Amino acid sequence: MGKILIVDDSSTVRDEVGGFLKKNGLDVITAVDGKDGLNKLKANPGITLVVSDVNMPNMDGLTMVEKIRSELGNNTVNVIMLTTESSPSMKERGKAAGVKGWIVKPFKGESVLATFKKLTA
Amino acid sequence: MSDESQLVCKVLVIDTSPEYFDQIKQFCDQNGLIGLRVLSPNIMAILSSNVDLGAILLAEDYYDSLDDVMVLAQQINIARPELPIVLRRTLPSHFDSQPEQLRKLFCATYTIDDMTPLRKVIDEYIFSIVYPNALVRGISEISISTLASQFQHLTISTETPYIVRDRIIFGELFSLIQLESSWCRGYMMLQTEEGAILDVLRTDDDLNVGDGSATFRTVNSILGEVTNVIWGAFKNRFIANDDLGIRSTSQVPIVINHQHKYISFGSENPQLCFKYTLSDERNSHFISIYQWFVFNLYWSPDDFKEIQTSVDDFIDLGELELF
């Protein structure tokens, strides 16, 4: 099973989401912003799913996804955005960058666990 | 207007006349005011406490000497210059013989037989800004939902939303986030006490820090995330997706003085406030969170709109939307 990279500037979200996924047997790595996320993804080839916030300092989540595809040339890793944003234009930008799914916070682990497991299988 | 969204405002009543108090109370009840009668002789201590106020109602005969009343008014004005002071005059009144400098301390005067000037003060100073019911009700709903999601094992309650003019900071910890649309520009502020949240975190295993390792950084992060989620929900509900704001770059400085527990957004506008109480009755822990909306840069309630599609076709929070 692949690893999940959680990218969020809030330690509360990283703890909450990461804690829940670990408790359910998933292997989790965390990053504090888009820049850190890119570095962690580069350093951990076993990551198969990225769950990322949009609004973050240094590099936002959508820019990070665009760079995953363009700079890292990684078109296989699955990306799901976990954010308070829900505007269609932002979702469109995500879709264009190859984002697989969108979750509007707050995080409800039980309702997405099966999909996360499938995406990391 | 539903009871939930009926705005109120607290006013400090510095008046010892029992025969007039009922009339003042009745006036307050009829005009959305909560009259807090001063029983302690130490008025300045009350003013420096965390009571959110909209105005001061002072009686000319509060002391035997009018000079003493004027000294008190000066002290109030120095301590809380943002609060309008209204004087209840007696008959006969000696107020007109006071120097202009002292008379200027009061935004209006009234007598118990003619409270019309007081009514005018309420319209002019306290409820001068219209906050649409849908906005007040919606803020309360999204905030309670966010708090309930973050603190799943606590009971959340809220008081009637209210208006304040004062600038006193509650607690040690607050967050600020900008709100911008074609109908508003300003901030949302959350204020709370670090210790109260730490008490809850250190006894709540479900918040992942039940091992006692929670620090002020944990508290900062939780408050930041609550702010972020409320901000997102506010945008989803009240700011249309194609609304890019009024594209104005004007800003005013925000002044914070921790020593005096004071914050100013540079505007005299009355601010919209909510208070939420989170209770862990098992461990007798309580968290108070004050939420302020300060539309100091732009406010146009005529252009306010609740995004109907977002309300009818509610965003599925926490649900995964696969592309």
Side-chain angles (χ1 to χ4, degrees), chain A residues 10-13 15 55 80 84-88 91 95 99-106 108 111-112 115, chain B residues 149-150 152 208 217-218 221-222 225 228-229 231-233 235-236 241 315-323:
Chain A
S10 162
S11 63
T12 303
V13 174
D15 291 346
N55 295 311
I80 287 174
T84 58
E85 300 286 354
S86 68
S87 78
K91 286 183 185 173
K95 231 190 256 189
V99 167
K100 188 105 181 169
W102 200 278
I103 303 170
V104 179
K105 284 179 182 177
K108 289 180 186 165
S111 66
V112 296
T115 311
Chain B
S149 164
Q150 185 67 51
Q152 292 180 12
N208 289 326
R217 288 190 177 83
T218 322
S221 174
I222 287 175
E225 189 53 22
N228 183 36
V229 176
W231 174 73
K235 289 200 301 177
N236 293 336
N241 293 319
I315 292 162
D316 292 323
L317 299 175
E319 298 293 328
L320 173 64
E321 177 188 354
L322 280 172
F323 296 148

Side-chain angles (χ1 to χ4, degrees), chain B residues 119-311:
Chain B
R119 173 69 250 179
K120 215 175 145 200
V121 166
I122 290 164
D123 291 338
E124 195 174 327
Y125 288 90
I126 299 177
F127 295 117
S128 59
I129 286 214
V130 174
Y131 289 108
N133 294 345
L135 174 71
V136 177
R137 193 175 51 249
I139 287 171
S140 190
E141 284 170 8
I142 59 182
S143 303
I144 288 172
S145 156
T146 302
L147 291 168
S149 164
Q150 185 67 51
F151 299 94
Q152 292 180 12
H153 299 278
L154 303 189
T155 307
I156 320 288
S157 59
T158 182
E159 295 179 3
T160 305
Y162 56 101
I163 298 292
V164 301
R165 289 187 64 86
D166 67 21
R167 295 163 190 171
I168 296 292
I169 293 170
F170 170 78
E172 314 76 27
L173 182 63
F174 63 91
S175 67
L176 275 169
I177 194 160
Q178 204 169 13
L179 293 165
E180 185 165 69
S181 77
S182 58
W183 57 268
C184 72
R185 285 185 74 217
Y187 294 88
M188 178 186 82
M189 175 162 70
L190 296 182
Q191 305 181 81
T192 188
E193 291 170 310
E194 180 186 306
I197 297 183
L198 278 174
D199 286 344
V200 168
L201 294 181
R202 286 173 176 157
T203 53
D204 194 335
D205 295 334
D206 297 306
L207 286 162
N208 289 326
V209 282
D211 58 357
S213 64
T215 65
F216 76 95
R217 288 190 177 83
T218 322
V219 175
N220 291 353
S221 174
I222 287 175
L223 187 69
E225 189 53 22
V226 167
T227 307
N228 183 36
V229 176
I230 294 174
W231 174 73
F234 184 98
K235 289 200 301 177
N236 293 336
R237 186 150 172 173
F238 300 121
I239 300 176
N241 293 319
D242 56 354
D243 184 342
L244 300 174
I246 56 170
R247 297 168 192 273
S248 166
T249 54
S250 67
Q251 286 286 353
V252 295
I254 296 168
V255 178
I256 300 163
N257 185 325
H258 285 286
Q259 185 156 351
H260 294 280
K261 296 183 78 98
Y262 171 95
I263 184 164
S264 165
F265 290 84
S267 156
E268 296 294 323
N269 292 344
Q271 298 144 4
L272 175 61
C273 299
F274 299 79
K275 181 187 177 187
Y276 306 95
T277 303
L278 289 66
S279 316
D280 173 5
E281 274 138 26
R282 230 176 6 175
N283 296 301
S284 297
H285 290 152
F286 301 94
I287 300 170
S288 294
I289 296 181
Y290 287 81
Q291 181 185 43
W292 286 25
F293 285 83
V294 188
F295 300 109
N296 55 329
L297 298 171
Y298 183 70
W299 180 245
S300 176
D302 290 344
D303 300 320
F304 165 80
K305 51 184 178 281
E306 189 165 11
I307 310 306
Q308 219 47 50
T309 48
S310 297
V311 179

Side-chain angles (χ1 to χ4, degrees), chain B residues 1-162:
Chain B
M1 185 184 272
S2 72
D3 287 339
E4 291 80 22
S5 54
Q6 176 72 54
L7 290 172
V8 297
C9 181
K10 292 175 196 155
V11 294
L12 199 64
V13 183
I14 306 173
D15 201 318
T16 48
S17 306
E19 69 267 36
Y20 297 149
F21 188 73
D22 283 349
Q23 275 173 270
I24 294 172
K25 188 181 179 307
Q26 193 184 6
F27 178 87
C28 288
D29 292 345
Q30 287 167 350
N31 289 281
L33 302 178
I34 298 172
L36 305 174
R37 194 178 182 186
V38 178
L39 296 173
S40 158
N42 196 347
I43 294 163
M44 300 318 290
I46 294 167
L47 282 173
S48 61
S49 68
N50 288 315
V51 180
D52 296 311
L53 295 170
I56 308 275
L57 306 187
L58 176 63
E60 187 177 338
D61 56 357
Y62 182 69
Y63 294 128
D64 293 337
S65 150
L66 181 57
D67 289 343
D68 290 342
V69 173
M70 291 296 131
V71 169
L72 176 62
Q74 280 176 304
Q75 288 172 339
I76 293 170
N77 185 249
I78 289 167
R80 304 287 286 275
E82 70 273 22
L83 294 178
I85 309 173
V86 191
L87 187 75
R88 180 179 64 73
R89 300 175 69 166
T90 54
L91 291 173
S93 173
H94 302 288
F95 177 71
D96 290 335
S97 61
Q98 293 293 312
E100 192 187 349
Q101 197 187 347
L102 291 179
R103 280 187 281 132
K104 275 186 170 172
L105 290 169
F106 303 92
C107 67
T109 65
Y110 71 102
T111 62
I112 206 70
D113 299 322
D114 180 14
M115 293 180 127
T116 319
L118 188 53
R119 173 69 250 179
K120 215 175 145 200
V121 166
I122 290 164
D123 291 338
E124 195 174 327
Y125 288 90
I126 299 177
F127 295 117
S128 59
I129 286 214
V130 174
Y131 289 108
N133 294 345
L135 174 71
V136 177
R137 193 175 51 249
I139 287 171
S140 190
E141 284 170 8
I142 59 182
S143 303
I144 288 172
S145 156
T146 302
L147 291 168
S149 164
Q150 185 67 51
F151 299 94
Q152 292 180 12
H153 299 278
L154 303 189
T155 307
I156 320 288
S157 59
T158 182
E159 295 179 3
T160 305
Y162 56 101

